[in-house]
Amino acid sequence: AQKVTQAQTEISVVEKEDVTLDCVYETRDTTYYLFWYKQPPSGELVFLIRRNSFDEQNEISGRYSWNFQKSTSSFNFTITASQVVDSAVYFCALSEEGTGNQFYFGTGTSLTVIP
Amino acid sequence: DAGITQSPRHKVTETGTPVTLRCHQTENHRYMYWYRQDPGHGLRLIHYSYGVKDTDKGEVSDGYSVSRSKTEDFLLTLESATSSQTSVYFCAIRGHQSSYNEQFFGPGTRLTVL
């Protein structure tokens, strides 16, 4: 079974629009970590954020915000006022305590921001 | 920058040939990982290492072997490459201290098996 589901394969938005990328995860562990990575067209993987299972506070970093809800097993990522430089593939990932920090990645959401 | 390099960055090889990819890190990270990235699958773990000569299998380990004789180097070997192993391979390390539960990735190696 897929531990991390990113149901949105591709999204296109017009510049300055807000966009939310969905991530749903599955785990039986009580301690786990959730992540978002960005993969721009150049191909590298850029770490964006880590969230611990015991910290449900939402986080904002500039135009980026993350909504962690344990009740729905979701960790969604919102980009406000999108820009062309936000065009990339975004991956959500899960790590469970006690598995050697093994990461489980979603299949990614490709975001295109149209100028 | 976690000081991770991968070599080669691009390789084209033929079916049946052995291939070794190298991951090198300069910051004494204990944990190292090899992933492959394929369309529709995201990244999947091949093998990982939790110390010199200590390795374990990941989700898609068949057809791959690894070795770690030094802290700084983690090698991934395809003993007899197949076309299904055409992929982009990423090495990752586990961070230190406050980043201990995070992974940071190398630039990737694009491998094509003809």
Side-chain angles (χ1 to χ4, degrees):
Chain A
Q2 191 77 7
K3 283 185 174 283
V4 178
T5 301
Q6 294 180 257
Q8 303 152 308
T9 305
E10 296 181 0
I11 300 176
S12 291
V13 298
V14 176
E15 199 170 22
K16 297 184 183 178
E17 287 183 347
D18 299 347
V19 58
T20 295
L21 309 183
D22 298 333
C23 174
V24 174
Y25 64 93
E26 179 183 333
T27 181
R28 292 181 180 179
D29 280 25
T30 54
T31 302
Y32 53 90
Y33 306 90
L34 296 163
F35 306 84
W36 278 95
Y37 286 83
K38 175 182 180 180
Q39 187 175 44
S42 51
E44 72 272 25
L45 283 156
V46 179
F47 168 81
L48 294 178
I49 190 172
R50 180 195 79 204
R51 216 68 189 123
N52 307 332
S53 55
F54 44 85
D55 181 3
E56 280 195 79
Q57 278 191 348
N58 292 326
E59 182 150 344
I60 299 174
S61 176
R63 296 183 297 106
Y64 294 172
S65 62
W66 291 270
N67 183 358
F68 176 29
Q69 292 196 341
K70 290 177 78 170
S71 61
T72 56
S73 297
S74 64
F75 185 44
N76 296 338
F77 174 28
T78 297
I79 302 174
T80 303
S82 60
Q83 299 177 1
V84 172
V85 293
D86 296 326
S87 296
V89 180
Y90 291 87
F91 291 96
C92 181
L94 165 73
S95 172
E96 297 166 319
E97 185 110 310
T99 62
N101 191 229
Q102 182 171 164
F103 272 37
Y104 301 95
F105 281 84
T107 51
T109 297
S110 177
L111 174 65
T112 301
V113 181
I114 303 165
Chain B
D1 184 358
I4 309 167
T5 57
Q6 293 184 229
S7 58
R9 294 293 312 281
H10 302 271
K11 186 168 182 68
V12 179
T13 191
E14 295 191 348
T15 298
T17 60
V19 176
T20 295
L21 308 182
R22 180 183 183 232
C23 178
H24 180 77
Q25 52 110 346
T26 58
E27 297 182 1
N28 202 35
H29 295 282
R30 180 183 169 197
Y31 283 80
M32 299 181 74
Y33 308 81
W34 276 108
Y35 292 87
R36 60 178 289 174
Q37 181 180 14
D38 304 290
H41 291 279
L43 283 85
R44 292 177 293 173
L45 182 66
I46 304 171
H47 282 279
Y48 68 99
S49 170
Y50 46 96
V52 172
K53 298 186 179 177
D54 291 324
T55 65
D56 206 348
K57 296 179 179 180
E59 179 187 356
V60 290
S61 59
D62 286 349
Y64 301 94
S65 62
V66 290
S67 66
R68 192 162 178 207
S69 58
K70 299 185 292 184
T71 297
E72 56 266 36
D73 289 323
F74 191 31
L75 304 181
L76 177 70
T77 297
L78 292 67
E79 300 289 351
S80 178
T82 67
S83 58
S84 65
Q85 293 175 312
T86 292
S87 187
V88 179
Y89 292 85
F90 284 97
C91 175
I93 55 88
R94 186 173 187 175
H96 289 311
Q97 298 176 327
S98 62
S99 301
Y100 189 60
N101 291 302
E102 296 160 13
Q103 289 189 15
F104 301 93
F105 289 81
T109 293
R110 184 173 295 276
L111 175 67
T112 302
V113 183
L114 301 175

PDB file of all heavy atoms in Angstrom, chain B residues 85-112:
ATOM      1  N   GLN B  85      16.679  -0.809 -15.336  1.00  0.00           N
ATOM      2  CA  GLN B  85      17.449  -0.026 -14.387  1.00  0.00           C
ATOM      3  C   GLN B  85      17.826   1.352 -14.928  1.00  0.00           C
ATOM      4  O   GLN B  85      18.531   2.109 -14.263  1.00  0.00           O
ATOM      5  CB  GLN B  85      18.692  -0.808 -13.947  1.00  0.00           C
ATOM      6  CG  GLN B  85      18.341  -2.046 -13.133  1.00  0.00           C
ATOM      7  CD  GLN B  85      19.535  -2.894 -12.791  1.00  0.00           C
ATOM      8  OE1 GLN B  85      20.381  -3.216 -13.636  1.00  0.00           O
ATOM      9  NE2 GLN B  85      19.640  -3.280 -11.527  1.00  0.00           N
ATOM     10  N   THR B  86      17.338   1.658 -16.112  1.00  0.00           N
ATOM     11  CA  THR B  86      17.446   3.024 -16.612  1.00  0.00           C
ATOM     12  C   THR B  86      16.653   3.924 -15.684  1.00  0.00           C
ATOM     13  O   THR B  86      15.454   3.707 -15.468  1.00  0.00           O
ATOM     14  CB  THR B  86      16.898   3.124 -18.044  1.00  0.00           C
ATOM     15  OG1 THR B  86      17.761   2.399 -18.921  1.00  0.00           O
ATOM     16  CG2 THR B  86      16.802   4.576 -18.489  1.00  0.00           C
ATOM     17  N   SER B  87      17.313   4.919 -15.118  1.00  0.00           N
ATOM     18  CA  SER B  87      16.678   5.735 -14.096  1.00  0.00           C
ATOM     19  C   SER B  87      17.597   6.884 -13.716  1.00  0.00           C
ATOM     20  O   SER B  87      18.724   6.985 -14.202  1.00  0.00           O
ATOM     21  CB  SER B  87      16.383   4.872 -12.856  1.00  0.00           C
ATOM     22  OG  SER B  87      15.625   5.582 -11.897  1.00  0.00           O
ATOM     23  N   VAL B  88      17.095   7.728 -12.831  1.00  0.00           N
ATOM     24  CA  VAL B  88      17.946   8.728 -12.194  1.00  0.00           C
ATOM     25  C   VAL B  88      18.183   8.255 -10.764  1.00  0.00           C
ATOM     26  O   VAL B  88      17.222   7.935 -10.047  1.00  0.00           O
ATOM     27  CB  VAL B  88      17.308  10.122 -12.197  1.00  0.00           C
ATOM     28  CG1 VAL B  88      18.226  11.119 -11.495  1.00  0.00           C
ATOM     29  CG2 VAL B  88      17.023  10.576 -13.623  1.00  0.00           C
ATOM     30  N   TYR B  89      19.446   8.185 -10.383  1.00  0.00           N
ATOM     31  CA  TYR B  89      19.822   7.682  -9.073  1.00  0.00           C
ATOM     32  C   TYR B  89      20.286   8.823  -8.186  1.00  0.00           C
ATOM     33  O   TYR B  89      21.147   9.626  -8.563  1.00  0.00           O
ATOM     34  CB  TYR B  89      20.932   6.633  -9.222  1.00  0.00           C
ATOM     35  CG  TYR B  89      20.456   5.376  -9.887  1.00  0.00           C
ATOM     36  CD1 TYR B  89      20.417   5.264 -11.273  1.00  0.00           C
ATOM     37  CD2 TYR B  89      19.996   4.305  -9.130  1.00  0.00           C
ATOM     38  CE1 TYR B  89      19.948   4.115 -11.891  1.00  0.00           C
ATOM     39  CE2 TYR B  89      19.523   3.149  -9.731  1.00  0.00           C
ATOM     40  CZ  TYR B  89      19.498   3.076 -11.115  1.00  0.00           C
ATOM     41  OH  TYR B  89      19.018   1.935 -11.711  1.00  0.00           O
ATOM     42  N   PHE B  90      19.692   8.867  -7.002  1.00  0.00           N
ATOM     43  CA  PHE B  90      20.056   9.890  -6.034  1.00  0.00           C
ATOM     44  C   PHE B  90      20.654   9.251  -4.791  1.00  0.00           C
ATOM     45  O   PHE B  90      20.128   8.274  -4.273  1.00  0.00           O
ATOM     46  CB  PHE B  90      18.828  10.703  -5.616  1.00  0.00           C
ATOM     47  CG  PHE B  90      18.369  11.689  -6.636  1.00  0.00           C
ATOM     48  CD1 PHE B  90      17.343  11.366  -7.511  1.00  0.00           C
ATOM     49  CD2 PHE B  90      18.946  12.950  -6.720  1.00  0.00           C
ATOM     50  CE1 PHE B  90      16.911  12.270  -8.465  1.00  0.00           C
ATOM     51  CE2 PHE B  90      18.514  13.869  -7.672  1.00  0.00           C
ATOM     52  CZ  PHE B  90      17.492  13.522  -8.532  1.00  0.00           C
ATOM     53  N   CYS B  91      21.709   9.864  -4.340  1.00  0.00           N
ATOM     54  CA  CYS B  91      22.289   9.520  -3.054  1.00  0.00           C
ATOM     55  C   CYS B  91      21.805  10.547  -2.039  1.00  0.00           C
ATOM     56  O   CYS B  91      21.562  11.716  -2.385  1.00  0.00           O
ATOM     57  CB  CYS B  91      23.815   9.566  -3.163  1.00  0.00           C
ATOM     58  SG  CYS B  91      24.702   9.318  -1.626  1.00  0.00           S
ATOM     59  N   ALA B  92      21.652  10.127  -0.799  1.00  0.00           N
ATOM     60  CA  ALA B  92      21.232  11.047   0.255  1.00  0.00           C
ATOM     61  C   ALA B  92      21.986  10.727   1.538  1.00  0.00           C
ATOM     62  O   ALA B  92      22.483   9.613   1.721  1.00  0.00           O
ATOM     63  CB  ALA B  92      19.729  10.953   0.492  1.00  0.00           C
ATOM     64  N   ILE B  93      22.058  11.728   2.407  1.00  0.00           N
ATOM     65  CA  ILE B  93      22.632  11.539   3.724  1.00  0.00           C
ATOM     66  C   ILE B  93      21.633  11.984   4.770  1.00  0.00           C
ATOM     67  O   ILE B  93      20.728  12.785   4.506  1.00  0.00           O
ATOM     68  CB  ILE B  93      23.960  12.321   3.886  1.00  0.00           C
ATOM     69  CG1 ILE B  93      23.764  13.813   3.575  1.00  0.00           C
ATOM     70  CG2 ILE B  93      25.050  11.742   3.010  1.00  0.00           C
ATOM     71  CD1 ILE B  93      23.344  14.654   4.775  1.00  0.00           C
ATOM     72  N   ARG B  94      21.791  11.420   5.955  1.00  0.00           N
ATOM     73  CA  ARG B  94      20.979  11.851   7.090  1.00  0.00           C
ATOM     74  C   ARG B  94      21.720  12.969   7.779  1.00  0.00           C
ATOM     75  O   ARG B  94      22.919  12.875   8.010  1.00  0.00           O
ATOM     76  CB  ARG B  94      20.769  10.681   8.038  1.00  0.00           C
ATOM     77  CG  ARG B  94      19.821  10.941   9.186  1.00  0.00           C
ATOM     78  CD  ARG B  94      19.557   9.672   9.961  1.00  0.00           C
ATOM     79  NE  ARG B  94      18.513   9.864  10.965  1.00  0.00           N
ATOM     80  CZ  ARG B  94      18.016   8.896  11.717  1.00  0.00           C
ATOM     81  NH1 ARG B  94      18.475   7.654  11.582  1.00  0.00           N
ATOM     82  NH2 ARG B  94      17.079   9.142  12.595  1.00  0.00           N
ATOM     83  N   GLY B  95      20.974  14.017   8.117  1.00  0.00           N
ATOM     84  CA  GLY B  95      21.613  15.191   8.687  1.00  0.00           C
ATOM     85  C   GLY B  95      22.142  14.965  10.088  1.00  0.00           C
ATOM     86  O   GLY B  95      21.928  13.928  10.720  1.00  0.00           O
ATOM     87  N   HIS B  96      22.861  15.956  10.556  1.00  0.00           N
ATOM     88  CA  HIS B  96      23.397  15.956  11.920  1.00  0.00           C
ATOM     89  C   HIS B  96      22.498  16.738  12.856  1.00  0.00           C
ATOM     90  O   HIS B  96      21.721  17.586  12.428  1.00  0.00           O
ATOM     91  CB  HIS B  96      24.768  16.646  11.920  1.00  0.00           C
ATOM     92  CG  HIS B  96      25.855  15.861  11.259  1.00  0.00           C
ATOM     93  ND1 HIS B  96      26.090  14.541  11.528  1.00  0.00           N
ATOM     94  CD2 HIS B  96      26.777  16.241  10.340  1.00  0.00           C
ATOM     95  CE1 HIS B  96      27.127  14.139  10.804  1.00  0.00           C
ATOM     96  NE2 HIS B  96      27.560  15.135  10.069  1.00  0.00           N
ATOM     97  N   GLN B  97      22.558  16.425  14.138  1.00  0.00           N
ATOM     98  CA  GLN B  97      21.976  17.222  15.225  1.00  0.00           C
ATOM     99  C   GLN B  97      20.553  17.655  14.935  1.00  0.00           C
ATOM    100  O   GLN B  97      19.662  16.824  14.797  1.00  0.00           O
ATOM    101  CB  GLN B  97      22.908  18.413  15.501  1.00  0.00           C
ATOM    102  CG  GLN B  97      24.295  17.965  15.952  1.00  0.00           C
ATOM    103  CD  GLN B  97      25.259  19.107  16.137  1.00  0.00           C
ATOM    104  OE1 GLN B  97      25.199  20.113  15.441  1.00  0.00           O
ATOM    105  NE2 GLN B  97      26.154  18.960  17.095  1.00  0.00           N
ATOM    106  N   SER B  98      20.295  18.949  14.823  1.00  0.00           N
ATOM    107  CA  SER B  98      18.922  19.416  14.646  1.00  0.00           C
ATOM    108  C   SER B  98      18.323  18.936  13.329  1.00  0.00           C
ATOM    109  O   SER B  98      17.107  18.944  13.153  1.00  0.00           O
ATOM    110  CB  SER B  98      18.854  20.940  14.719  1.00  0.00           C
ATOM    111  OG  SER B  98      19.616  21.511  13.674  1.00  0.00           O
ATOM    112  N   SER B  99      19.135  18.508  12.403  1.00  0.00           N
ATOM    113  CA  SER B  99      18.667  17.991  11.114  1.00  0.00           C
ATOM    114  C   SER B  99      18.717  16.479  11.063  1.00  0.00           C
ATOM    115  O   SER B  99      18.693  15.880   9.983  1.00  0.00           O
ATOM    116  CB  SER B  99      19.522  18.562   9.975  1.00  0.00           C
ATOM    117  OG  SER B  99      19.462  19.962   9.946  1.00  0.00           O
ATOM    118  N   TYR B 100      18.772  15.856  12.220  1.00  0.00           N
ATOM    119  CA  TYR B 100      19.021  14.407  12.269  1.00  0.00           C
ATOM    120  C   TYR B 100      17.925  13.601  11.579  1.00  0.00           C
ATOM    121  O   TYR B 100      18.161  12.518  11.062  1.00  0.00           O
ATOM    122  CB  TYR B 100      19.173  13.948  13.709  1.00  0.00           C
ATOM    123  CG  TYR B 100      19.650  12.524  13.850  1.00  0.00           C
ATOM    124  CD1 TYR B 100      20.879  12.129  13.318  1.00  0.00           C
ATOM    125  CD2 TYR B 100      18.885  11.563  14.506  1.00  0.00           C
ATOM    126  CE1 TYR B 100      21.324  10.828  13.431  1.00  0.00           C
ATOM    127  CE2 TYR B 100      19.324  10.261  14.626  1.00  0.00           C
ATOM    128  CZ  TYR B 100      20.548   9.902  14.097  1.00  0.00           C
ATOM    129  OH  TYR B 100      20.990   8.600  14.205  1.00  0.00           O
ATOM    130  N   ASN B 101      16.711  14.088  11.574  1.00  0.00           N
ATOM    131  CA  ASN B 101      15.624  13.347  10.936  1.00  0.00           C
ATOM    132  C   ASN B 101      15.360  13.811   9.514  1.00  0.00           C
ATOM    133  O   ASN B 101      14.334  13.465   8.938  1.00  0.00           O
ATOM    134  CB  ASN B 101      14.361  13.463  11.778  1.00  0.00           C
ATOM    135  CG  ASN B 101      14.499  12.699  13.082  1.00  0.00           C
ATOM    136  OD1 ASN B 101      14.751  11.500  13.073  1.00  0.00           O
ATOM    137  ND2 ASN B 101      14.369  13.389  14.197  1.00  0.00           N
ATOM    138  N   GLU B 102      16.277  14.561   8.954  1.00  0.00           N
ATOM    139  CA  GLU B 102      16.131  15.041   7.591  1.00  0.00           C
ATOM    140  C   GLU B 102      17.130  14.344   6.694  1.00  0.00           C
ATOM    141  O   GLU B 102      18.156  13.852   7.142  1.00  0.00           O
ATOM    142  CB  GLU B 102      16.341  16.562   7.553  1.00  0.00           C
ATOM    143  CG  GLU B 102      15.280  17.304   8.341  1.00  0.00           C
ATOM    144  CD  GLU B 102      15.680  18.703   8.737  1.00  0.00           C
ATOM    145  OE1 GLU B 102      16.678  19.211   8.220  1.00  0.00           O
ATOM    146  OE2 GLU B 102      14.980  19.285   9.583  1.00  0.00           O
ATOM    147  N   GLN B 103      16.811  14.287   5.407  1.00  0.00           N
ATOM    148  CA  GLN B 103      17.729  13.758   4.420  1.00  0.00           C
ATOM    149  C   GLN B 103      18.028  14.849   3.399  1.00  0.00           C
ATOM    150  O   GLN B 103      17.138  15.606   3.008  1.00  0.00           O
ATOM    151  CB  GLN B 103      17.159  12.526   3.717  1.00  0.00           C
ATOM    152  CG  GLN B 103      17.105  11.303   4.613  1.00  0.00           C
ATOM    153  CD  GLN B 103      16.748  10.031   3.882  1.00  0.00           C
ATOM    154  OE1 GLN B 103      16.797   9.952   2.646  1.00  0.00           O
ATOM    155  NE2 GLN B 103      16.380   9.004   4.640  1.00  0.00           N
ATOM    156  N   PHE B 104      19.283  14.854   2.967  1.00  0.00           N
ATOM    157  CA  PHE B 104      19.733  15.826   1.975  1.00  0.00           C
ATOM    158  C   PHE B 104      20.334  15.051   0.819  1.00  0.00           C
ATOM    159  O   PHE B 104      21.049  14.072   1.009  1.00  0.00           O
ATOM    160  CB  PHE B 104      20.740  16.785   2.589  1.00  0.00           C
ATOM    161  CG  PHE B 104      20.176  17.544   3.751  1.00  0.00           C
ATOM    162  CD1 PHE B 104      20.347  17.062   5.036  1.00  0.00           C
ATOM    163  CD2 PHE B 104      19.438  18.685   3.563  1.00  0.00           C
ATOM    164  CE1 PHE B 104      19.799  17.724   6.123  1.00  0.00           C
ATOM    165  CE2 PHE B 104      18.895  19.367   4.639  1.00  0.00           C
ATOM    166  CZ  PHE B 104      19.068  18.882   5.914  1.00  0.00           C
ATOM    167  N   PHE B 105      20.028  15.522  -0.373  1.00  0.00           N
ATOM    168  CA  PHE B 105      20.309  14.736  -1.563  1.00  0.00           C
ATOM    169  C   PHE B 105      21.463  15.271  -2.392  1.00  0.00           C
ATOM    170  O   PHE B 105      21.691  16.489  -2.450  1.00  0.00           O
ATOM    171  CB  PHE B 105      19.049  14.669  -2.437  1.00  0.00           C
ATOM    172  CG  PHE B 105      17.968  13.812  -1.841  1.00  0.00           C
ATOM    173  CD1 PHE B 105      17.135  14.302  -0.856  1.00  0.00           C
ATOM    174  CD2 PHE B 105      17.813  12.498  -2.256  1.00  0.00           C
ATOM    175  CE1 PHE B 105      16.162  13.496  -0.282  1.00  0.00           C
ATOM    176  CE2 PHE B 105      16.836  11.684  -1.705  1.00  0.00           C
ATOM    177  CZ  PHE B 105      16.011  12.186  -0.715  1.00  0.00           C
ATOM    178  N   GLY B 106      22.145  14.335  -3.037  1.00  0.00           N
ATOM    179  CA  GLY B 106      23.148  14.686  -4.022  1.00  0.00           C
ATOM    180  C   GLY B 106      22.493  15.129  -5.318  1.00  0.00           C
ATOM    181  O   GLY B 106      21.266  15.123  -5.430  1.00  0.00           O
ATOM    182  N   PRO B 107      23.308  15.493  -6.315  1.00  0.00           N
ATOM    183  CA  PRO B 107      22.767  16.051  -7.559  1.00  0.00           C
ATOM    184  C   PRO B 107      22.147  15.018  -8.494  1.00  0.00           C
ATOM    185  O   PRO B 107      21.479  15.390  -9.450  1.00  0.00           O
ATOM    186  CB  PRO B 107      23.992  16.693  -8.203  1.00  0.00           C
ATOM    187  CG  PRO B 107      25.134  15.895  -7.674  1.00  0.00           C
ATOM    188  CD  PRO B 107      24.766  15.522  -6.282  1.00  0.00           C
ATOM    189  N   GLY B 108      22.362  13.747  -8.241  1.00  0.00           N
ATOM    190  CA  GLY B 108      21.766  12.705  -9.076  1.00  0.00           C
ATOM    191  C   GLY B 108      22.693  12.221 -10.179  1.00  0.00           C
ATOM    192  O   GLY B 108      23.582  12.937 -10.640  1.00  0.00           O
ATOM    193  N   THR B 109      22.468  10.967 -10.592  1.00  0.00           N
ATOM    194  CA  THR B 109      23.170  10.361 -11.723  1.00  0.00           C
ATOM    195  C   THR B 109      22.125   9.813 -12.674  1.00  0.00           C
ATOM    196  O   THR B 109      21.283   9.021 -12.282  1.00  0.00           O
ATOM    197  CB  THR B 109      24.081   9.205 -11.271  1.00  0.00           C
ATOM    198  OG1 THR B 109      25.146   9.711 -10.472  1.00  0.00           O
ATOM    199  CG2 THR B 109      24.655   8.470 -12.483  1.00  0.00           C
ATOM    200  N   ARG B 110      22.202  10.260 -13.915  1.00  0.00           N
ATOM    201  CA  ARG B 110      21.264   9.750 -14.926  1.00  0.00           C
ATOM    202  C   ARG B 110      21.913   8.564 -15.628  1.00  0.00           C
ATOM    203  O   ARG B 110      22.929   8.725 -16.305  1.00  0.00           O
ATOM    204  CB  ARG B 110      20.906  10.839 -15.925  1.00  0.00           C
ATOM    205  CG  ARG B 110      19.856  10.410 -16.947  1.00  0.00           C
ATOM    206  CD  ARG B 110      19.413  11.578 -17.807  1.00  0.00           C
ATOM    207  NE  ARG B 110      18.727  12.602 -17.038  1.00  0.00           N
ATOM    208  CZ  ARG B 110      17.443  12.591 -16.732  1.00  0.00           C
ATOM    209  NH1 ARG B 110      16.673  11.588 -17.141  1.00  0.00           N
ATOM    210  NH2 ARG B 110      16.899  13.566 -16.039  1.00  0.00           N
ATOM    211  N   LEU B 111      21.311   7.397 -15.478  1.00  0.00           N
ATOM    212  CA  LEU B 111      21.839   6.167 -16.067  1.00  0.00           C
ATOM    213  C   LEU B 111      20.893   5.664 -17.147  1.00  0.00           C
ATOM    214  O   LEU B 111      19.689   5.521 -16.906  1.00  0.00           O
ATOM    215  CB  LEU B 111      22.009   5.087 -14.995  1.00  0.00           C
ATOM    216  CG  LEU B 111      22.448   3.712 -15.494  1.00  0.00           C
ATOM    217  CD1 LEU B 111      23.877   3.771 -16.040  1.00  0.00           C
ATOM    218  CD2 LEU B 111      22.356   2.668 -14.378  1.00  0.00           C
ATOM    219  N   THR B 112      21.447   5.421 -18.298  1.00  0.00           N
ATOM    220  CA  THR B 112      20.690   4.842 -19.403  1.00  0.00           C
ATOM    221  C   THR B 112      21.300   3.504 -19.770  1.00  0.00           C
ATOM    222  O   THR B 112      22.511   3.413 -20.027  1.00  0.00           O
ATOM    223  CB  THR B 112      20.714   5.767 -20.635  1.00  0.00           C
ATOM    224  OG1 THR B 112      20.184   7.046 -20.265  1.00  0.00           O
ATOM    225  CG2 THR B 112      19.882   5.177 -21.772  1.00  0.00           C
TER     226      THR B 112
END
